[in-house]
Amino acid sequence: MTKVTRRALLGTMATAPALSVIGMPFIARAAEIELKYGNNLPLSHPLNVRSHEAAEIIKQKTNGRIEIKIFPNNQLGGDTDMLSQVRSGGITFFTPSALVIATLVPVAAINAVGFAFADYDQVWKAMDGTLGAHVRAAISKVNLYAFEKVWDNGFRQMTTSGKAIETAKEMAGLKIRVPVSPLSLSMFKALDSSPVSLQFSEVYTSLQTKVVDAQENPLPIIQVAKLYEVQKSCAISNHIWDGFWFIANGRAWNGLSEPDRKIVADAINEAGVKQRDDIRKLNATVQTDLEAKGLAFNKTNPDSFRAKLRDAGFYKEWKEKFGAEAWGLLEDSVGKLA
Ligand code: X2X
């Protein structure tokens, strides 16, 4: 008896009249191209919600040929691990914060210069404009492809288990967790704190076990990662605007056909724009929610922090590190910094 291969069966199905298909077992077709995407955030964060939608759209538009498998919440390791996996091709996609990809592409931290951006109008003008283009070009030099639209992490705020942070004075000696990022370390050292670099996967436990007393993150992250359970107060400092670069391994990206690249890029960029809007809407309600969960809030004035950073030579140092071109592009968007 001849063995009926799947190909032969599908071939018959394609030519046989439609009616004869009825009653046949459904044959699940495995995707031709399976691409892994890892990230560091809980499933409920808009970054995961919208990238899940993008993956569905990509699957539909390619008739199931391309499937993106999402591994959220540090399932594949911490930020540093995922960064090396996306470089080697072990995973195809990763969404590192600008702070984190800067360990590889230093200029990528330019958006995180302390107290640079006043609001989201300035942020999107810069990141969708010349500053973002400059960073994407730098990312492409290390054989990674950065999608056009950077996703929103948000304006970073400081939380602590100790006394509230009102001015730069309270920063002295503060044991604060920062991402694995030279710029964050430098900034909190300039504020006289004792910053500790830890991957995001380690933040909750290190606060819980008091390895550190404080951390800094946008409010939606504090909410989805339940950091309010292990922190007492939150200072609205807006000290850094942070985004997630959606990046792809260069070889894997260039290995896709041109039409497939367009389908994937369109879906991911459109999802990114929606994700920005999700965060914008969340920002309107998240503080009230966190207050109800027991986190105490206070406002801060940026002046004392900025003065401290200026006196410590922070702006001068990072202007030199980023170089005149990138610094100029940042100042085009936010005005003179130092
Ligand atoms: O690690 C963090 O603090 C986070 C989640 O904001 C980043 O990915 C930089």
Side-chain angles (χ1 to χ4, degrees):
M1 220 180 93
T2 50
K3 208 171 140 206
V4 181
T5 63
R6 183 167 153 265
R7 184 185 289 270
L9 189 61
L10 286 172
T12 323
M13 282 166 68
T15 50
L19 259 182
S20 70
V21 173
I22 292 173
M24 290 188 74
F26 173 73
I27 299 166
R29 204 159 57 113
E32 260 166 45
I33 306 174
E34 220 181 71
L35 306 171
K36 289 186 188 163
Y37 160 41
N39 68 61
N40 64 355
L41 297 184
L43 259 183
S44 53
H45 190 276
L47 174 131
N48 272 310
V49 176
R50 293 297 181 183
S51 51
H52 188 83
E53 279 177 18
E56 284 298 313
I57 290 169
I58 291 162
K59 194 171 170 182
Q60 270 171 25
K61 288 206 171 154
T62 60
N63 298 317
R65 271 189 308 106
I66 300 184
E67 185 162 359
I68 298 180
K69 288 208 147 176
I70 305 177
F71 298 85
N73 214 9
N74 299 298
Q75 278 174 18
L76 300 178
D79 300 305
T80 315
D81 308 305
M82 286 188 281
L83 195 56
S84 63
Q85 287 167 37
V86 76
R87 291 196 77 194
S88 69
I91 59 177
T92 301
F93 303 107
F94 177 38
T95 37
S97 140
L99 289 164
V100 169
I101 196 175
T103 54
L104 193 64
V105 183
V107 77
I110 184 94
N111 61 265
V113 169
F115 303 96
F117 289 109
D119 55 38
Y120 272 109
D121 282 347
Q122 285 185 351
V123 167
W124 300 131
K125 196 167 151 268
M127 301 313 288
D128 288 338
T130 49
L131 189 69
H134 185 84
V135 171
R136 292 178 68 240
I139 293 175
S140 74
K141 296 219 169 84
V142 297
N143 294 323
L144 291 170
Y145 172 76
F147 290 92
E148 216 164 296
K149 299 290 179 188
V150 66
W151 294 39
D152 194 14
N153 189 358
F155 280 92
R156 301 182 77 92
Q157 322 294 356
M158 303 180 199
T159 67
T160 152
S161 59
K163 69 172 190 277
I165 297 161
E166 306 272 357
T167 66
K169 251 197 237 138
E170 283 79 47
M171 302 306 291
L174 187 67
K175 269 202 290 176
I176 183 167
R177 175 272 172 177
V178 297
V180 181
S181 145
L183 183 115
S184 301
L185 275 179
S186 159
M187 183 167 152
F188 283 89
K189 278 184 189 154
L191 291 169
D192 283 344
S193 304
S194 306
V196 182
S197 265
L198 293 171
Q199 309 193 91
F200 188 63
S201 50
E202 297 167 302
V203 173
Y204 187 97
T205 315
S206 61
L207 290 167
Q208 192 178 35
T209 57
K210 304 244 189 274
V211 170
V212 290
D213 297 319
Q215 70 83 45
E216 43 85 57
N217 250 301
L219 299 188
I221 297 268
I222 294 166
Q223 184 184 49
V224 297
K226 299 191 188 322
L227 301 183
Y228 54 84
E229 291 178 351
V230 285
Q231 294 283 268
K232 260 198 220 138
S233 69
C234 179
I236 297 297
S237 51
N238 295 313
H239 55 281
I240 282 175
W241 176 79
D242 189 20
F244 293 108
W245 283 108
F246 213 115
I247 57 169
N249 172 276
R251 211 161 3 102
W253 180 247
N254 290 319
L256 295 178
S257 72
E258 164 81 42
D260 281 350
R261 283 203 296 266
K262 180 161 167 40
I263 290 172
V264 174
D266 285 352
I268 287 179
N269 288 325
E270 278 161 30
V273 172
K274 288 183 185 157
Q275 188 269 354
R276 293 177 183 180
D277 206 48
D278 294 339
I279 297 286
R280 186 183 63 78
K281 288 184 188 137
L282 250 182
N283 282 339
T285 58
V286 63
Q287 181 172 334
T288 313
D289 178 64
L290 291 171
E291 275 166 348
K293 292 181 158 90
L295 199 60
F297 279 81
N298 66 278
K299 293 206 173 98
T300 65
N301 180 320
D303 293 349
S304 70
F305 295 90
R306 252 199 217 115
K308 181 84 190 158
L309 290 177
R310 201 174 296 123
D311 292 349
F314 172 81
Y315 293 106
K316 189 171 169 288
E317 179 188 337
W318 285 90
K319 181 178 178 174
E320 275 162 27
K321 281 195 173 142
F322 287 131
E325 192 190 349
W327 196 263
L329 293 174
L330 177 62
E331 286 191 335
D332 284 348
S333 312
V334 303
K336 205 98 193 114
L337 275 168

